[in-house]
Amino acid sequence: MAALKFSGPVLPDGQSRDLYVVDGTVTYEPQAGADTVARGWILPGLVDAHNHLGLEDHGAVDESEIEAQALADRDAGALLLRDCGSPADTRWVEQREDLPRLVRAGRHVARTKRYIRNYAHEVEPADLAPYLAREARGSDGWVKVVGDWISRDAGDLAPSFPAEAFAEAIAAAQAEGAKVTAHCFGRDVLQGLLDAGIDCIEHGTGLSLDQLDQMAARGVALVPTVMQTAKFPTFAEQGREKFPAYAATMEDLFARRREVLMSAHEAGVPMYVGSDGGGAQRHGWLAGEVQAMVELGLPAADVVAAASWRGRDWLGFDGLAEGASADLVVYDRDPVADPTALWEPVCVVLRGRVVGAAPA
């Protein structure tokens, strides 16, 4: 295969360079006769840190739909997907050179009749640790537990399991070599999870300042999914008649979500960008999540970094160093200065192959 040449500022340092792709890897050594594919701002492949490949509103989807979801993400520049729970077996995706890299968390684990039907393993507290450990053994190093959900008995958000059951399950999954994350909308579940040594929080709208300091000190990550939390007023309205306390809670969490986001940034909590594609959102919308985070007040440079090179580093993948796998996206303008550029990739390269746009 002929060497490919890309020219322009290479992020994160922004130095204008000629980047070559040879045998699927990056090199900055000049290659005679290389074909110039694209010019523009060159970004390490984007990372969707909260993605549900293989999931739709009703539950698992078939392989043809999984492929369509993966292609939508890929064509939007998301070349690395962190699965946050799927009832579908997506292991075959990892064998496809033309589909994004995938870090699977297996199927999420929830309390019996306390989550969306057909999404998760639904278990009682005594079974939480065995189930999470089993998912850990079959995953790519992550598992997910549903931390809280509406309780019809309480009429409000409530922890899915007792704190001691969470602690036992987190320890069991970590003993299998996996990191643990949890869906958390509300407040009451958070302290027990943090004290038990959880590795990441999804959504996190109920976090307090003290808890954010605890996360920063331990390096616990937050994936805030702000396109998802923007729907809290709709959730409140849908539940108001039967569950007025729940409606009030969701409205309060929505009202303070910007404060939590900005406080997390100020505290130094490592934050990453997740679209919730396949859950609350459609696939291929990572640029929308970047834009939403910036509109809430986060610095564009930090959000783009989290969606690219920092996210890749967090998950154990290279950026665009010499010898790295050539996973990159080219834009016609600087996405750090103008994050709307992320909606319009000029060229998408995955594993050294041009898979989107380019020759023109």
Side-chain angles (χ1 to χ4, degrees):
M1 182 183 294
L4 306 178
K5 179 181 176 181
F6 302 85
S7 299
V10 180
L11 297 174
D13 64 19
Q15 179 182 351
S16 289
R17 311 173 73 174
D18 292 332
L19 181 155
Y20 299 87
V21 175
V22 180
D23 295 331
T25 63
V26 170
T27 183
Y28 295 96
E29 295 292 329
Q31 303 292 310
D35 297 324
T36 299
V37 177
R39 301 178 186 275
W41 278 261
I42 304 168
L43 193 65
L46 299 180
V47 180
D48 191 338
H50 187 122
N51 190 290
H52 295 284
L53 199 65
L55 179 68
E56 280 290 0
D57 296 342
H58 63 275
V61 297
D62 62 22
E63 289 192 1
S64 65
E65 181 59 27
I66 293 171
E67 179 183 49
Q69 292 176 347
L71 290 172
D73 288 323
R74 184 202 73 183
D75 292 348
L79 305 183
L80 173 57
L81 310 178
R82 173 179 173 256
D83 164 47
C84 272
S86 176
D89 183 353
T90 57
R91 286 174 291 184
W92 61 271
V93 172
E94 299 174 312
Q95 309 306 315
R96 286 274 299 269
E97 295 287 310
D98 60 328
L99 298 182
R101 300 181 190 276
L102 179 62
V103 177
R104 295 178 305 105
R107 191 170 188 174
H108 26 353
V109 184
R111 185 69 176 267
T112 308
K113 297 183 178 179
R114 287 274 308 280
Y115 197 47
I116 304 168
R117 180 182 290 184
N118 300 325
Y119 273 33
H121 293 301
E122 297 187 11
V123 304
E124 288 301 289
D127 293 323
L128 179 59
Y131 265 80
L132 211 61
R134 186 183 73 182
E135 292 303 303
R137 289 191 290 272
S139 78
D140 294 327
W142 280 91
V143 291
K144 181 183 175 186
V145 62
V146 177
D148 62 5
W149 199 251
I150 187 170
S151 164
R152 287 168 175 75
D153 293 335
D156 203 349
L157 287 178
S160 301
F161 301 95
E164 57 271 18
F166 279 125
E168 181 185 2
I170 290 169
Q174 290 172 340
E176 297 289 347
K179 294 182 178 180
V180 184
T181 194
H183 161 107
C184 301
F185 282 165
R187 300 177 180 85
D188 294 347
V189 71
L190 289 160
Q191 194 59 55
L193 293 172
L194 292 173
D195 290 345
I198 200 162
D199 300 286
C200 184
I201 297 292
E202 312 295 323
H203 317 300
T205 39
L207 286 160
S208 69
L209 293 178
D210 287 346
Q211 289 166 342
L212 292 170
D213 287 341
Q214 184 178 357
M215 291 174 69
R218 285 194 49 245
V220 179
L222 173 63
V223 184
T225 66
V226 301
M227 289 194 298
Q228 160 74 314
T229 62
K231 299 181 178 182
F232 281 10
T234 300
F235 299 165
E237 196 56 40
Q238 290 170 341
R240 190 178 310 281
E241 183 175 349
K242 292 181 66 175
F243 304 110
Y246 167 78
T249 294
M250 299 307 289
E251 288 174 333
D252 180 61
L253 292 171
F254 176 77
R256 64 187 300 271
R257 71 189 187 119
R258 181 183 183 278
E259 176 188 352
V260 172
L261 191 72
M262 298 307 296
S263 296
H265 180 262
E266 291 165 12
V269 175
M271 281 194 286
Y272 301 99
V273 184
S275 72
D276 215 346
Q281 303 292 335
R282 300 308 88 181
H283 287 266
W285 278 70
L286 187 63
E289 181 68 12
V290 171
Q291 189 171 334
M293 292 173 74
V294 172
E295 288 173 353
L296 281 177
L298 291 177
D302 290 337
V303 181
V304 173
S308 178
W309 57 91
R310 287 184 190 159
R312 296 181 69 87
D313 183 66
W314 179 50
L315 296 175
F317 290 80
D318 291 332
L320 295 177
E322 181 77 25
S325 178
D327 294 355
L328 60 92
V329 192
V330 183
Y331 300 94
D332 66 0
R333 57 195 186 277
D334 183 0
V336 173
D338 180 7
T340 65
L342 297 178
W343 288 107
E344 302 170 312
V346 171
C347 185
V348 180
V349 178
L350 175 62
R351 298 181 178 92
R353 294 173 53 202
V354 175
V355 294

